[in-house]
Amino acid sequence: MGWEFWSKQLDEEELVADGGYDEYSAGSSSRAAGMNGSGPTKLVDPLEDPLPGVGTYEDFNTIDWVREKSKDRDRHREITNKSRESTVALLHSVSDAFSGWLLMLLVGLMAGALAGGIDIAAHWMTDLKEGVCLIGFWFNHEHCCWTSNETTFQERDRCPQWKSWAELIAGTAQGPFAYIVNYLMYIFWALLFSFLAVTLVRAFAPYACGSGIPEIKTILSGFIIRGYLGKWTLIIKTITLVLAVSSGLSLGKEGPLVHVACCCANILCHLFTKYRKNEAKRREVLSAAAAVGVSVAFGAPIGGVLFSLEEVSYYFPLKTLWRSFFAALVAAFTLRSINPFGNSRLVLFYVEFHAPWHLVELAPFILLGIFGGLWGTLFIKANIAWCRTRKTTRLGHYPVIEVLLVTAVTALLAFPNSYTRMSGAELISELFNDCSLLDSSQLCGYKQPVNTSETGVDNSLADRPAGPGLCTALWQLALALIFKILITVITFGMKVPSGLFIPSMAVGAIAGRLLGVGMEQLAYYNHDWLLFRGWCSPGADCITPGLYAMVGAAACLGGVTRMTVSLVVIMFELTGGLEYIVPLMAATMTSKWVADAFGREGIYEAHIRLNGYPFLEPKEEFEHSSLAVDVMRPRRGDPALAVLTQDSMTVGEVETLVESTHYSGFPVVISQESQRLVGFVLRRDLLISIDNARKRQDGIVSASLVVFTEHCPAQPPEAPPPLRLRGIMDLSPFTVTDHTPMDITVDIFRKLGLRQCLVTHNGRLLGIITKKDILKHMAQISNRDPDSILFN
């Protein structure tokens, strides 16, 4: 059952050790078959038919952005020219232009429907751990008690229709025995859900584990991970995401929903030829799908578009921005129609604070930003260290046992504390809540006002001294904070779907609420301090602890992911707190600055690096003064560069060269003596073309001449017919001179999405630089292991 993702990576490591993916170029999925020509030009031999497989890519390789964009331009030009000839061609042109919008509509509808189903199922299964509804087992706790007329204000969650497991098994809801029964049933359901989740992932879709965002970022940069966005991954991720969230593990469903939305987009792309046969076009759709994922996760369509632009996407043209916005809008509308939260609101945590914030409060908000930055740095370092241990020790061979152990520890420690027992979203909602007259929450356990004159307007209350209920809640929150910090480190990265948004926000919200209550009590007992004088008079509602929780949540999420603009927009869309943008901005920027002081990598970039994916981070600056000649291969002492000549090698010689090397592509030169560059040919295209010619073209034997020129050279009459392969050659490969600075070369690779670049001196071929060579060079400069880059 060698299903684990890491075992697949280890297989790839062996290939790399043999030179399998280490060389000269790379490629993408074989779904887009039947394309002729390999370069931006379309000089195809008219005697040859288009070959299935030519122009496609292998797994764990990088696509050629330049070729894909050129191919789409050629296709679009051809459709435009034909549209002037007939009405049918004109209709075809219109349908081709409209297909992108139709695809976005379908992605939004499908992702919104799936997200609504996941929300409803996760809510029901989370409540199933504590009890069951007698009038219909498919009702969760809240829905079960909606129709009841027997609920009281103090116990609004209790109704005769809802029975805890202790009431069903032991016949009583009170006492030590009932507590033990509920405790054991909570652990049983948690273990059952997590066991089902990890088993389904193991058996059917190994790629369904984790957050998915690091891999989505890598795929959007042009890398191919076949099956990562397939139908099985979608089905299993959807099911196991519900199970993992319901098990009570410290994880969220928001990151995995981005993966789910991208799976929907990838599957729907197959309905449209334009996207099915072009990898670059498909990545535009996947960028929009990432925006859809955040839109349905938080009910934040604008924040989703900005998240895709700031955090995930590698190539984001203006057209994709419009389509992302449309798809996110459709998805949000679909989710709102399903109404999974039952409150007729789209946002996950609606807040309604009655007191405005004051300028003096920026100081504690910035303090929360500092905490968020420190927590983010600590979490990234600890989590990467734990994941590396999992990857390099025997722990990684027993994912089921690991998941069950972590679930058992989580359930054992979480149940006694009401704040860790509830789901992450429920906890954050509780912490964001502003106490009012009708609130029975323990966090609102203040001493009651002596007279009604202390009662504020709008159902809000003036600052009051903390009562015993609030003191107990603060102790429980402090313990919950320590628990969440420790357990989230070892939970993220297990072989179950696991998001990081909600756990990070929960940590920040707890810290913020604690600080907010502390500030509130300080203001209550010290109204005459210079700090509070003038704006916080006795009997006024000065400090809002829920606002501090909201700012703390943003700060911690920013510290972990290093998001800024998109995070602030997501937070105010998430809560509806538009007037609190300045505190959110201050905390988020402080969090990023503090975290960046210890390392510029966010959690997703750190996991990309841990997995060895070939990802050139757009935000990372290249500050070394090296030149192209310092990075290119072959180096001094290496064998000479393997090249093809344009008209002097036989089929047998070419096959021998290909079999004796593991390079993914070969430069074509005029002759071995001159080394003047003509073009570049991919290994895959070369092998497919030769194999096809041997089967379909008469007279092609090992002695046949391989010709990359437009006209065949003169041959003896008895010579076998030549094999003309000019059509598969890229006639305009990108080149730099040997004295080109590497910072310019790195920019060229990033902005054009190159896989390889040839190095010349006075027009003579010297060597080649691949994306992997650049990543290895950057790793050496940063004192990291260059062999950690596994793929090309």
Side-chain angles (χ1 to χ4, degrees):
M1 299 283 277
W3 62 277
E4 301 96 48
F5 179 59
W6 298 125
S7 69
K8 188 158 187 176
Q9 280 204 335
L10 290 173
D11 294 340
E12 299 304 332
E13 272 187 71
E14 291 169 13
L15 282 172
V16 172
D18 295 334
Y21 290 113
D22 191 11
E23 316 298 336
Y24 290 16
S25 109
S28 149
S29 160
S30 64
R31 299 185 192 100
M35 293 177 285
N36 53 6
S38 155
T41 57
K42 296 196 71 173
L43 293 170
V44 181
D45 192 330
L47 299 175
E48 294 182 342
D49 297 323
L51 302 180
V54 170
T56 61
Y57 307 97
E58 293 179 345
D59 199 10
F60 291 113
N61 278 261
T62 310
I63 69 168
D64 188 334
W65 283 92
V66 177
R67 179 172 70 179
E68 297 298 310
K69 290 176 194 171
S70 173
K71 194 166 57 182
D72 185 62
R73 279 197 301 272
D74 290 341
R75 184 197 60 81
H76 189 264
R77 196 177 296 120
E78 185 181 348
I79 290 175
T80 305
N81 291 337
K82 285 183 177 178
S83 66
R84 302 188 184 101
E85 297 172 5
S86 67
T87 307
V88 174
L90 179 64
L91 290 173
H92 178 251
S93 174
V94 171
S95 69
D96 181 77
F98 182 69
S99 62
W101 295 99
L102 178 59
L103 178 56
M104 291 297 101
L105 176 69
L106 295 175
V107 170
L109 291 171
M110 186 173 177
L114 280 175
I118 288 170
D119 285 333
I120 293 167
H123 199 171
W124 171 67
M125 291 178 71
T126 300
D127 288 349
L128 191 62
K129 291 186 298 184
E130 297 185 358
V132 68
C133 188
L134 297 182
I135 57 173
F137 73 92
W138 55 88
F139 287 125
N140 62 38
H141 194 168
E142 186 181 0
H143 291 174
C144 188
C145 292
W146 266 0
T147 55
S148 175
N149 296 321
E150 301 174 53
T151 53
T152 63
F153 172 71
Q154 291 298 329
E155 295 186 336
R156 64 183 72 180
D157 290 334
R158 293 191 62 81
C159 60
Q161 290 86 350
W162 178 267
K163 296 291 184 183
S164 68
W165 291 111
E167 288 177 277
L168 289 173
I169 296 170
T172 177
Q174 306 295 328
F177 183 64
Y179 183 84
I180 292 170
V181 169
N182 284 331
Y183 202 157
L184 292 175
M185 289 302 294
Y186 182 90
I187 295 170
F188 165 76
W189 284 110
L191 288 171
L192 177 64
F193 292 157
S194 62
F195 175 74
L196 287 172
V198 72
T199 306
L200 286 170
V201 167
R202 173 179 181 172
F204 297 105
Y207 285 149
C209 67
S211 163
I213 292 180
E215 285 76 15
I216 297 296
K217 285 188 70 160
T218 311
I219 288 169
L220 289 177
S221 75
F223 195 59
I224 289 296
I225 309 177
R226 249 187 239 156
Y228 198 82
L229 301 176
K231 60 180 181 299
W232 272 111
T233 304
L234 173 63
I235 294 166
I236 298 303
K237 186 118 187 177
T238 303
I239 296 169
T240 55
L241 180 55
V242 173
L243 291 166
V245 170
S246 305
S247 68
L249 287 166
S250 184
L251 47 83
K253 61 180 183 294
E254 285 65 29
L257 276 174
V258 174
H259 187 183
V260 167
C262 287
C263 286
C264 295
N266 186 60
I267 292 165
L268 291 169
C269 274
H270 287 78
L271 301 176
F272 302 87
T273 309
K274 177 165 74 171
Y275 297 100
R276 184 174 68 248
K277 291 191 173 183
N278 193 295
E279 293 290 346
K281 294 295 291 179
R282 193 183 308 183
R283 272 152 184 75
E284 291 179 21
V285 177
L286 295 179
S287 290
V292 169
V294 174
S295 174
V296 295
F298 290 116
I302 302 171
V305 175
L306 291 173
F307 171 81
S308 180
L309 176 61
E310 179 184 4
E311 187 63 25
V312 180
S313 295
Y314 201 83
Y315 172 66
F316 203 84
L318 196 59
K319 180 171 59 178
T320 304
L321 179 71
W322 301 331
R323 289 181 177 173
S324 300
F325 184 73
F326 173 68
L329 181 69
V330 171
F333 176 77
T334 306
L335 190 67
R336 170 67 181 79
S337 303
I338 295 171
N339 193 20
F341 309 120
N343 57 6
S344 298
R345 289 195 181 101
L346 182 61
V347 298
L348 196 56
F349 312 114
Y350 181 76
V351 297
E352 198 171 355
F353 301 137
H354 300 97
W357 65 279
H358 197 269
L359 197 62
V360 178
E361 290 182 279
L362 274 180
F365 294 151
I366 289 171
L367 196 64
L368 284 172
I370 294 170
F371 171 78
L374 293 173
W375 146 250
T377 303
L378 173 70
F379 174 80
I380 291 169
K381 291 186 182 301
N383 181 252
I384 292 298
W386 177 255
C387 289
R388 188 172 283 115
T389 303
R390 180 191 289 130
K391 186 179 176 183
T392 55
T393 62
R394 292 177 61 85
L395 179 66
H397 298 296
Y398 304 102
V400 177
I401 294 173
E402 181 195 6
V403 169
L404 290 177
L405 280 175
V406 173
T407 306
V409 170
T410 304
L412 278 167
L413 297 177
F415 186 84
N417 188 336
S418 60
Y419 293 110
T420 51
R421 190 191 315 167
M422 63 179 68
S423 68
E426 199 179 346
L427 170 63
I428 294 168
S429 186
E430 178 90 354
L431 294 167
F432 284 5
N433 182 40
D434 187 23
C435 290
S436 65
L437 280 169
L438 301 175
D439 239 312
S440 60
S441 167
Q442 200 174 10
L443 281 172
C444 299
Y446 295 93
K447 291 178 182 174
Q448 293 302 316
V450 178
N451 55 57
T452 54
S453 64
E454 288 187 34
T455 303
V457 294
D458 292 334
N459 198 30
S460 65
L461 290 168
D463 291 346
R464 295 165 291 158
L470 180 58
C471 293
T472 305
L474 293 181
W475 275 109
Q476 289 180 333
L477 279 181
L479 292 172
L481 179 63
I482 297 167
F483 170 74
K484 284 281 183 186
I485 285 174
L486 295 176
I487 207 72
T488 306
V489 168
I490 60 173
T491 303
F492 186 70
M494 292 196 307
K495 294 297 184 286
V496 292
S498 53
L500 196 58
F501 280 45
I502 289 295
S504 300
M505 288 175 67
V507 168
I510 293 171
R513 188 78 187 203
L514 290 171
L515 181 63
V517 173
M519 284 291 295
E520 183 187 45
Q521 295 305 302
L522 193 67
Y524 177 80
Y525 287 108
N526 301 281
H527 282 294
D528 53 341
W529 280 14
L530 183 64
L531 186 68
F532 303 110
R533 196 183 303 159
W535 67 279
C536 192
S537 55
D541 185 11
C542 308
I543 308 290
T544 307
L547 172 59
Y548 285 73
M550 188 169 88
V551 172
C556 280
L557 185 53
V560 171
T561 62
R562 308 299 162 86
M563 294 191 298
T564 51
V565 180
S566 56
L567 175 59
V568 171
V569 174
I570 286 171
M571 286 304 297
F572 84 69
E573 280 192 281
L574 191 63
T575 58
L578 189 60
E579 60 187 293
Y580 303 106
I581 282 186
V582 173
L584 288 171
M585 288 172 70
T588 303
M589 284 309 302
T590 306
S591 171
K592 179 172 171 56
W593 287 334
V594 170
D596 281 351
F598 295 95
R600 303 185 74 86
E601 275 187 339
I603 186 65
Y604 302 130
E605 290 79 22
H607 272 271
I608 286 171
R609 185 157 288 166
L610 177 70
N611 293 347
Y613 297 136
F615 183 76
L616 271 174
E617 175 57 55
K619 302 169 195 166
E620 189 176 356
E621 294 184 11
F622 188 90
E623 297 174 347
H624 204 261
S625 58
S626 51
L627 302 175
V629 71
D630 302 322
V631 180
M632 75 173 193
R633 288 178 296 154
R635 310 271 168 81
R636 285 191 183 93
D638 286 354
L641 192 67
V643 297
L644 300 171
T645 58
Q646 66 175 0
D647 57 7
S648 61
M649 292 180 73
T650 64
V651 169
E653 289 171 340
V654 170
E655 287 178 328
T656 302
L657 177 67
V658 172
E659 288 169 8
S660 62
T661 61
H662 294 279
Y663 305 139
S664 297
F666 301 91
V668 181
V669 295
I670 291 177
S671 66
Q672 293 286 359
E673 293 75 27
S674 76
Q675 292 285 309
R676 297 286 176 179
L677 184 63
V678 177
F680 191 85
V681 176
L682 290 178
R683 175 197 188 93
R684 179 183 176 85
D685 294 352
L686 196 59
L687 288 173
I688 290 172
S689 300
I690 291 175
D691 184 57
N692 181 76
R694 283 188 178 275
K695 292 176 181 174
R696 294 173 55 190
Q697 195 170 332
D698 293 336
I700 296 297
V701 292
S702 294
S704 297
L705 202 63
V706 177
V707 179
F708 292 100
T709 55
E710 207 163 344
H711 304 287
C712 293
Q715 292 188 84
E718 67 277 4
L723 174 58
R724 302 174 63 183
L725 295 181
R726 184 178 176 86
I728 67 167
M729 182 173 66
D730 182 357
L731 291 171
S732 56
F734 275 87
T735 60
V736 294
T737 67
D738 50 342
H739 289 292
T740 304
M742 272 309 294
D743 55 343
I744 301 296
T745 308
V746 171
D747 269 348
I748 291 171
F749 268 81
R750 279 180 182 147
K751 290 172 181 175
L752 293 177
L754 298 186
R755 298 180 299 169
Q756 73 281 322
C757 184
L758 300 173
V759 183
T760 60
H761 177 74
N762 293 336
R764 188 172 182 271
L765 180 65
L766 284 186
I768 188 168
I769 299 175
T770 65
K771 196 175 184 180
K772 186 170 183 178
D773 293 328
I774 290 177
L775 288 164
K776 283 191 168 189
H777 183 66
M778 294 172 78
Q780 284 176 326
I781 292 170
S782 305
N783 296 317
R784 297 192 310 270
D785 178 18
D787 293 327
S788 63
I789 313 298
L790 298 181
F791 311 108
N792 197 15

